Amino acid sequence: MATDTASGKIDFGLNFIAPTIVAVDQGHRLTLMGGVHPGCFELFVQPGIDSILQLRGRKVGVQALGSSPHLFIVSIAAHVGLDPVRDIVWVSDPDVKPKELFLRGDVDAFLGFPPEPQELRAKGAGRVLLNSALDRPWSQYFCCLLAGNPGFVAANPVASKRVMRAILKAADLCVADPAMVARRLVEGKFTANYDYALQALGEVPYKRWRDYDAEDTVRFYALRLREAGAITASPQEIIAKATDWRFLNELKRELKT
Amino acid sequence: MQIIQSRRRFLAGLSAAGAVGLVGAATPASAEPPPETSRIRLSRPSASASHRNLSRRICCMPRVSRMWIMSRPSLAL
């Protein structure tokens, strides 16, 4: 999504911050405009794994190298001193989702995001080793940030601010009326199960966008990714190259509750 | 002309200045000029759809078999 936004294939993308940072490090031009919500990922592990350090030598299912779950686990591993390249065996199957690989016992861990965590918890499958909405330090930072194509944002500042306003109001709506949002998600075929959607909307901290610091989030993940060897740029270089918080700052005042 | 300010007047002025700062700095949608464009392209916010697209891309990559075990000497993504 980050490269699609950078190339102008799409104008805006809402995505986990890590792939965006990697894209900026690789030379893609993006404008990060603000954080939308903190954690929605949960790390599921098989019985017998009680810490992140015990992922050493284990098989971890991801969609692909460079995908959001991969980069999140890379960040987590680097944070506790693991070498994500040497210490973890990454497993991906183009035809089988990591969740299915996990349920079959083909991998020891995978990162689930809604509605997967809700579904697995209902089935009593595996256990949650880390919940990015609850566990520090991950819970203290945004998960998903809005990024725009720099050319589009520069040429269309009023439209860009309106896009951001609409997305932040949508986050507020997730807090104010989660049942209605869950219904719309099912009706729009974004997800199949209403109960899981409603549960996820209650668990993802959508109300935090006013409180958390988007720049801190970029700094935090850039540091983790640099420790892991996934990027070479410093956090300050990423922030200087690819952030513009003016719309966010205006909207924080405008949408003050 | 009143030169010496009372404490109450000073605080009232401070509050008014704060309120102007809060209200005046941001421009609500109704007060904005019309957007420069009516066409915005966004990604479809569906995790499963993006995974499918990603999987298709992986399938098209050389040296990728059905089960792809990935352990590489670097994180050159």
Side-chain angles (χ1 to χ4, degrees):
Chain A
M1 191 187 298
T3 50
D4 283 348
T5 308
S7 69
K9 193 173 171 186
I10 55 175
D11 303 314
F12 298 94
L14 181 59
N15 197 18
F16 177 46
I17 181 63
T20 306
I21 290 174
V22 171
V24 171
D25 183 66
Q26 290 174 340
H28 295 285
R29 291 185 63 244
L30 287 157
T31 300
L32 280 161
M33 297 164 64
V36 177
H37 63 79
C40 53
F41 292 110
E42 294 182 38
L43 181 64
F44 280 81
V45 294
Q46 303 287 6
I49 299 175
D50 299 316
S51 72
I52 303 295
L53 280 172
Q54 288 179 13
L55 289 180
R56 180 177 279 125
R58 305 278 191 160
K59 287 184 282 186
V60 177
V62 292
Q63 283 78 22
L65 286 179
S67 64
S68 293
H70 172 242
L71 291 175
F72 193 88
I73 299 172
V74 161
S75 304
I76 295 168
H79 187 62
V80 298
L82 289 178
D83 180 335
V85 174
R86 277 194 289 271
D87 292 338
I88 293 175
V89 180
W90 303 100
V91 177
S92 180
D93 185 329
D95 294 327
V96 185
K97 285 182 178 180
K99 180 192 76 178
E100 303 301 331
L101 293 174
F102 181 77
L103 287 171
R104 292 190 330 206
D106 290 341
V107 296
D108 300 299
F110 92 105
L111 203 65
F113 54 97
E116 291 170 332
Q118 290 72 27
E119 187 188 335
L120 262 68
R121 284 201 297 267
K123 286 180 178 170
R127 59 183 287 260
V128 177
L129 189 60
L130 187 154
N131 182 333
S132 63
L134 299 175
D135 295 320
R136 288 169 182 260
W138 318 100
S139 61
Q140 303 303 297
Y141 300 96
F142 281 110
C143 163
C144 293
L145 279 81
L146 180 68
N149 175 279
F152 184 94
V153 174
N156 304 285
V158 178
S160 299
K161 186 178 174 184
R162 287 199 178 195
V163 168
M164 179 136 208
R165 182 188 289 112
I167 289 173
L168 294 176
K169 280 188 167 182
D172 284 345
L173 198 60
C174 291
V175 179
D177 195 350
M180 185 275 282
V181 175
R183 272 199 309 277
R184 295 286 295 270
L185 286 171
V186 174
E187 287 164 7
K189 301 193 188 311
F190 293 102
T191 192
N193 188 304
Y194 170 83
D195 292 332
Y196 293 159
L198 183 60
Q199 198 182 331
L201 286 163
E203 290 169 357
V204 177
Y206 283 104
K207 64 181 175 188
R208 295 276 183 226
W209 69 262
R210 289 177 182 80
D211 309 326
Y212 280 28
D213 186 331
E215 191 164 303
D216 246 8
T217 297
V218 177
R219 192 175 293 111
F220 175 78
Y221 277 102
L223 279 171
R224 301 288 82 76
L225 292 167
R226 203 178 185 206
E227 281 168 3
I231 64 170
T232 55
S234 70
Q236 209 47 45
E237 284 172 312
I238 300 286
I239 289 167
K241 263 189 210 169
T243 64
D244 182 350
W245 312 123
R246 72 196 144 121
F247 298 133
L248 174 69
N249 292 334
E250 288 176 16
L251 289 166
K252 271 186 180 176
R253 291 193 291 271
E254 184 188 316
L255 301 176
K256 211 173 179 72
T257 51
Chain B
M1 192 171 84
Q2 185 171 355
I3 296 174
I4 300 171
Q5 279 205 2
S6 68
R7 181 174 173 274
R8 181 173 295 175
R9 183 176 287 271
F10 173 75
L11 289 175
L14 203 63
S15 302
V20 167
L22 286 177
V23 176
T27 311
S30 56
E32 282 172 358
E36 303 85 351
T37 177
S38 57
R39 178 172 173 263
I40 306 282
R41 291 163 305 166
L42 303 168
S43 60
R44 181 178 167 88
S46 163
S48 56
S50 63
H51 291 169
R52 280 196 295 277
N53 291 339
L54 205 54
S55 297
R56 279 194 210 106
R57 262 185 275 161
I58 294 166
C59 287
C60 297
M61 290 167 68
R63 77 182 175 77
V64 175
S65 60
R66 183 175 171 78
M67 176 64 90
W68 193 23
I69 306 289
M70 302 174 295
S71 281
R72 307 199 309 184
S74 76
L75 266 176
L77 304 169

